[in-house]
Amino acid sequence: MVSLAFEIGFDHYRFNLPLDIVRFPDQYRKDVRNGFDAAKIQNVSKKKADIFEKKLLSIRDRGLIRGLIVSETNFSFHAFGRILGRISMSYIELADLLDANLFLNIGQEANSNRVHKLFYSAKDNICFVAIQDIKTGTVVTVLPIDYHENISWAISIEAQNQAKKLITKDKVYSPN
């Protein structure tokens, strides 16, 4: 949760929200403060948080205060079905993977908040694409590579190797 504490501090600066450091447990205060200070040192552009961002930040703050892990990733009903039907990892494992940035951003749909995130499933020994709304954190679907190539764009073996390396540290990938 150390990185979450850092991110919370960073986001408080970015969204110009008050930072009441005493609300957080002692073991996280330094990381929250470091995140806030890092954003300040980097002169991160401040922006006004919309209602969704405020709600997400509030949930993350309360989760850290109570010692709970709060995921930024959530799933549509459709995505749940695709996870159950297409991959061996659970939705919790996928959320953890996406929240830990263990994916390769391979593009964003035009005029949309949907980002295509290439990730490697070690249980399946193959890559998939999670399409996630970056504004809400909702994964709307999970696609095998061949489906993605049919409806969007091709994904190179090099990109798949990079996604695999994030998980396994291996350098060579040969799709099934």
Side-chain angles (χ1 to χ4, degrees):
M1 275 202 267
V2 172
S3 65
L4 176 60
F6 184 91
E7 289 175 21
I8 285 172
F10 193 94
D11 286 342
H12 272 266
Y13 181 87
R14 181 170 52 135
F15 292 111
N16 204 24
L17 298 172
L19 182 62
D20 186 7
I21 201 80
V22 298
R23 293 179 44 227
F24 298 99
D26 291 340
Q27 70 264 30
Y28 301 121
R29 288 179 183 172
K30 181 180 179 188
D31 295 311
V32 171
R33 171 61 63 198
N34 287 343
F36 187 89
D37 291 344
K40 190 175 187 177
I41 289 168
Q42 294 175 31
N43 199 23
V44 171
S45 298
K46 291 184 178 183
K47 68 177 248 183
K48 183 176 166 102
D50 65 25
I51 190 169
F52 298 109
E53 291 162 333
K54 282 183 183 177
K55 186 66 172 174
L56 177 60
L57 291 169
S58 172
I59 291 168
R60 291 171 68 201
D61 282 7
R62 287 191 313 252
L64 186 64
I65 290 166
R66 294 181 181 149
L68 303 172
I69 297 172
V70 180
S71 174
E72 292 182 21
T73 300
N74 60 81
F75 300 91
S76 68
F77 183 77
H78 174 82
F80 270 117
R82 296 305 166 261
I83 292 166
L84 291 172
R86 291 181 175 157
I87 64 176
S88 298
M89 65 174 41
S90 70
Y91 74 92
I92 294 171
E93 292 170 311
L94 179 54
D96 289 346
L97 182 145
L98 295 173
D99 288 344
N101 292 320
L102 296 174
F103 63 85
L104 191 64
N105 183 334
I106 57 170
Q108 183 168 344
E109 295 176 14
N111 303 317
S112 168
N113 292 321
R114 292 182 176 184
V115 174
H116 293 228
K117 298 180 174 183
L118 180 68
F119 68 93
Y120 176 77
S121 168
K123 290 180 178 180
D124 298 297
N125 193 32
I126 194 166
C127 288
F128 293 89
V129 177
I131 301 177
Q132 186 174 30
D133 185 307
I134 56 173
K135 190 134 177 116
T136 65
T138 303
V139 174
V140 294
T141 195
V142 176
L143 302 171
I145 299 298
D146 57 339
Y147 281 34
H148 188 272
E149 290 179 353
N150 286 338
I151 65 167
S152 296
W153 56 83
I155 301 167
S156 70
I157 294 296
E158 293 80 21
Q160 294 175 56
N161 279 332
Q162 287 178 323
K164 182 179 182 183
K165 190 174 179 184
L166 291 171
I167 303 297
T168 66
K169 308 301 182 215
D170 289 343
K171 295 182 179 172
V172 177
Y173 175 67
S174 58
N176 295 339

